[in-house]
Amino acid sequence: MQAPIAKKIEQKLEKHGDIRIDNYYWLNDRENSEVINYLNQENEYTKAILQPTEALQTKLFEEMKARIKEDDSSVPYKLNGYWYLTEYQKGKEYPIHKRRKDSLENPDEILFDVNTMAEGHSYYQLGGISMAPNNQLVSFGVDNVSRRIYTIQIKDLTTGEILSDKIENTTGGSVWAADNKTLFYTRKDETLRAYQIWKHKLGTKQEDDILVFEEVDDTFNAFVYKSKSRDYIIIGSSSTVSDEFRYIPSNQPDAEFKIFQKRERDLEYSIEHFGDSFYIQTNKDDAFNFKLMKTSVEKTEQENWIDVIPHREETLIEGFEIFKNYLVIEERTNGLLQMNIKAWDNSTDYYLPFNEETYTANVGTNPDFDTDILRYGYTSLTTPSSVIDFNMNDKTFEIKKEQVVIGDFDKENYISERIWAEARDGEMVPISLVRRKDTPLSAETPLLLYAYGSYGYTIEPYFSSVRLSLLDRGFIYAIAHIRGGQYLGREWY
């Protein structure tokens, strides 16, 4: 069978006085019958070329699927008096979202059975679940087209009724004010850029909603969230090199948003609230690897910011989590992520211990402000993903869940390590790799090398049960942590 050839139709695209010729611009018309016909030809060609491998494809698919636990559930987390969890049932495609009041021993309350909701739809995505402070109302977003454009609706959990409120063309997420009547949400423009923040009052039509912020600079994206303390509604607007935030008290939904710090080119920052201060992760004063600062809730402009954790050239601050008694900082040094735990009263300051040569760790879901338990995730190329609760007082660990790999998987059969390769300009690039113990590390061994570097996005060394089908056939799998990501800090990006 001959490979199909897409015809060329010259299209001139002019930008900034430069003309670019795109001969295949016509292929972006998804309603064009010629485009659909060409795509069908490509699919038929692919099927014909791969026909000799169909038996292997089936074998690999069944092998990979057999390792996956179909009936599974998330680790419950507690928020405002309820335990929340998500469950998957064997043979069903979609999750079931549920909660239990006060104790995990209490019966389930079904929030959403997405399997039922998705009936009759060829595509269905539910997201942006947001609980009102009174625990009786929940907002959620639905996309049944697969365009990442969601319609927000509201469910009354006391009656099970979906209210008449319908908010179209959103990112799906929404934030409740403290009055249990006001929702803030984000809308998209025709390019799917999030650019407007709107305010909706329960029981009203969308055309009555009030625009509270519009980002007119198309290099910025807008978003809205509630501080972990639940005291503030915060609007953010971010570009590649600049950020700007606005805020109001969550119990004053009709107040006018106040600018935290006006945007300045090359000034990046993010904010979180605790007590009488805002805490700020920022690159202010050329802190290219970021530092942590704080300022009074009354004086938020940058001239009032003071250092909490100063800038360090060898360590990238990736994020922070605030608890009533502790501050947790996510740091990356020499490519490895660490968690620094500091008591507010300065009584303790230490790092979580991680023992593997190459691994991934990240702060997990920690919505409860008043707790001494830090939940974090851990995985490596040989260790299945785990959810771990760490008591920051007595330094004890409890593995709440480790990814189940069905079959004869034994992580002791595999080796992971980190090596360094010299790039053309002399820079040493780290590579995380994994293989079976009986697979030789040699130039003759088949290798699948993956790399991605862009936008500061770091590819972490993570476990994959699918990958075992390669490793068990004598492959080495490697991830090159190339520049463009932030594996070795902001300068690596």
Side-chain angles (χ1 to χ4, degrees):
M1 185 176 182
Q2 295 298 309
I5 304 297
K7 67 180 180 180
K8 295 181 179 181
I9 301 176
E10 184 178 293
Q11 175 78 30
K12 292 183 178 180
L13 302 171
E14 186 170 355
K15 203 77 171 177
H16 308 299
D18 179 68
I19 295 177
R20 178 166 56 89
I21 304 298
D22 186 348
N23 289 320
Y24 301 104
Y25 187 84
W26 66 278
L27 285 170
N28 75 0
D29 184 357
R30 63 181 67 212
E31 306 300 328
N32 186 333
S33 60
E34 284 192 82
V35 172
I36 295 170
N37 182 53
Y38 171 70
L39 293 176
N40 286 332
Q41 290 178 41
E42 286 281 8
N43 287 337
E44 288 300 317
Y45 176 71
T46 301
K47 186 177 179 181
I49 291 297
L50 293 177
Q51 191 275 329
T53 70
E54 284 182 355
L56 177 60
Q57 289 180 49
T58 300
K59 181 180 181 180
L60 287 170
F61 175 72
E62 294 301 329
E63 186 179 295
M64 294 169 181
K65 189 173 71 169
R67 297 192 192 102
I68 299 171
K69 191 174 187 291
E70 290 187 63
D71 52 335
D72 203 3
S73 61
S74 64
V75 179
Y77 66 87
K78 195 172 187 182
L79 177 63
N80 200 19
Y82 283 84
W83 290 93
Y84 290 88
L85 64 157
T86 301
E87 180 184 272
Y88 285 87
Q89 296 179 351
K90 190 170 184 177
K92 294 187 177 181
E93 185 175 357
Y94 295 97
I96 299 171
H97 300 280
K98 53 176 68 173
R99 68 178 181 176
R100 297 169 190 165
K101 188 174 183 180
D102 296 328
S103 169
L104 286 170
E105 306 305 315
N106 285 330
D108 287 338
E109 178 184 348
I110 303 298
L111 303 176
F112 302 103
D113 184 343
V114 187
N115 298 284
T116 302
M117 299 169 74
E119 289 177 0
H121 297 279
S122 58
Y123 177 88
Y124 197 90
Q125 182 70 36
L126 181 142
I129 296 173
S130 178
M131 195 64 57
N134 63 8
N135 289 319
Q136 296 175 8
L137 298 169
V138 59
S139 57
F140 61 99
V142 170
D143 170 17
N144 53 26
V145 181
S146 182
R147 287 278 287 146
R148 289 172 290 135
I149 301 174
Y150 289 80
T151 298
I152 293 174
Q153 293 181 269
I154 299 161
K155 184 175 182 179
D156 186 333
L157 296 174
T158 58
T159 65
E161 175 191 7
I162 304 293
L163 304 185
S164 60
D165 304 64
K166 260 193 173 182
I167 308 171
E168 309 276 359
N169 190 31
T170 78
T171 59
S174 55
V175 177
W176 289 91
D179 64 357
N180 299 296
K181 297 176 182 178
T182 308
L183 271 179
F184 293 90
Y185 64 91
T186 310
R187 293 194 70 179
K188 297 183 173 185
D189 64 14
E190 64 277 2
T191 69
L192 301 187
R193 178 178 69 96
Y195 79 119
Q196 290 178 334
I197 309 299
W198 290 76
K199 178 170 63 178
H200 175 81
K201 295 290 185 179
L202 204 62
T204 64
K205 294 181 179 180
Q206 184 173 1
E207 48 263 38
D208 298 325
D209 291 354
I210 296 172
L211 177 66
V212 295
F213 174 71
E214 179 171 6
E215 181 50 74
V216 296
D217 186 334
D218 63 9
T219 66
F220 281 75
N221 286 285
F223 53 94
V224 61
Y225 66 99
K226 184 182 286 187
S227 64
K228 186 174 177 179
S229 65
R230 305 180 202 163
D231 289 341
Y232 290 95
I233 305 289
I234 301 170
I235 292 175
S237 194
S238 292
S239 73
T240 306
V241 296
S242 182
D243 301 290
E244 184 176 77
F245 289 84
R246 292 165 166 75
Y247 64 99
I248 58 170
S250 59
N251 61 2
Q252 299 176 33
D254 296 325
E256 185 173 346
F257 278 85
K258 179 182 177 182
I259 292 180
F260 187 91
Q261 161 61 42
K262 288 183 68 174
R263 67 188 67 181
E264 293 182 7
R265 185 170 178 83
D266 297 324
L267 175 63
E268 299 174 64
Y269 72 97
S270 59
I271 63 174
E272 190 52 90
H273 168 251
F274 174 57
D276 58 2
S277 300
F278 279 106
Y279 285 76
I280 310 136
Q281 180 180 331
T282 180
N283 66 348
K284 175 178 160 60
D285 299 329
D286 298 320
F288 63 86
N289 266 339
F290 292 92
K291 58 182 174 179
L292 190 64
M293 307 184 78
K294 74 172 185 177
T295 191
S296 163
V297 294
E298 304 297 332
K299 297 179 179 179
T300 62
E301 296 78 11
Q302 63 171 309
E303 58 266 23
N304 302 298
W305 301 358
I306 58 173
D307 280 3
V308 176
I309 299 175
H311 176 252
R312 292 158 291 171
E313 290 194 6
E314 73 284 356
T315 299
L316 171 66
I317 293 181
E318 293 213 337
F320 65 99
E321 188 80 38
I322 289 176
F323 297 88
K324 182 179 179 181
N325 298 318
Y326 292 94
L327 170 66
V328 179
I329 305 100
E330 291 182 283
E331 305 176 354
R332 190 182 294 273
T333 302
N334 196 32
L336 301 179
L337 197 134
Q338 300 172 304
M339 296 184 198
N340 184 198
I341 297 171
K342 296 175 179 287
W344 290 114
D345 63 6
N346 297 317
S347 61
T348 187
D349 184 344
Y350 61 93
Y351 284 86
L352 269 179
F354 299 119
N355 300 319
E356 293 189 81
E357 186 176 336
T358 179
Y359 62 86
T360 300
N362 59 281
V363 170
T365 303
N366 292 275
D368 192 358
F369 188 72
D370 189 7
T371 179
D372 292 329
I373 302 298
L374 167 67
R375 176 164 292 176
Y376 70 94
Y378 182 87
T379 185
S380 74
L381 292 167
T382 59
T383 304
S385 299
S386 303
V387 177
I388 302 168
D389 279 359
F390 177 71
N391 189 309
M392 293 181 280
N393 277 335
D394 60 23
K395 302 182 183 179
T396 56
F397 297 82
E398 182 183 358
I399 298 176
K400 305 297 290 186
K401 181 180 181 180
E402 182 174 285
Q403 176 188 349
V404 175
V405 182
I406 297 174
D408 58 358
F409 168 72
D410 182 350
K411 59 185 172 186
E412 299 303 321
N413 291 333
Y414 304 87
I415 300 172
S416 70
E417 55 191 301
R418 188 169 64 160
I419 64 174
W420 300 74
E422 186 174 352
R424 287 189 297 270
D425 61 355
E427 196 73 59
M428 300 302 290
V429 178
I431 301 170
S432 296
L433 57 86
V434 61
R435 59 189 166 96
R436 282 187 66 96
K437 283 183 176 179
D438 54 5
T439 299
L441 192 62
S442 75
E444 286 71 44
T445 304
L447 167 77
L448 178 59
L449 173 67
Y450 179 80
Y452 176 87
S454 194
Y455 308 110
Y457 184 79
T458 299
I459 302 297
E460 307 283 7
Y462 64 96
F463 180 82
S464 167
S465 65
V466 168
R467 189 186 300 139
L468 297 175
S469 291
L470 270 183
L471 302 182
D472 290 346
R473 286 170 171 79
F475 271 77
I476 297 170
Y477 180 83
I479 301 171
H481 305 290
I482 61 174
R483 282 166 283 188
Q486 294 186 123
Y487 187 81
L488 292 180
R490 192 69 171 169
E491 285 192 325
W492 203 239
Y493 162 55

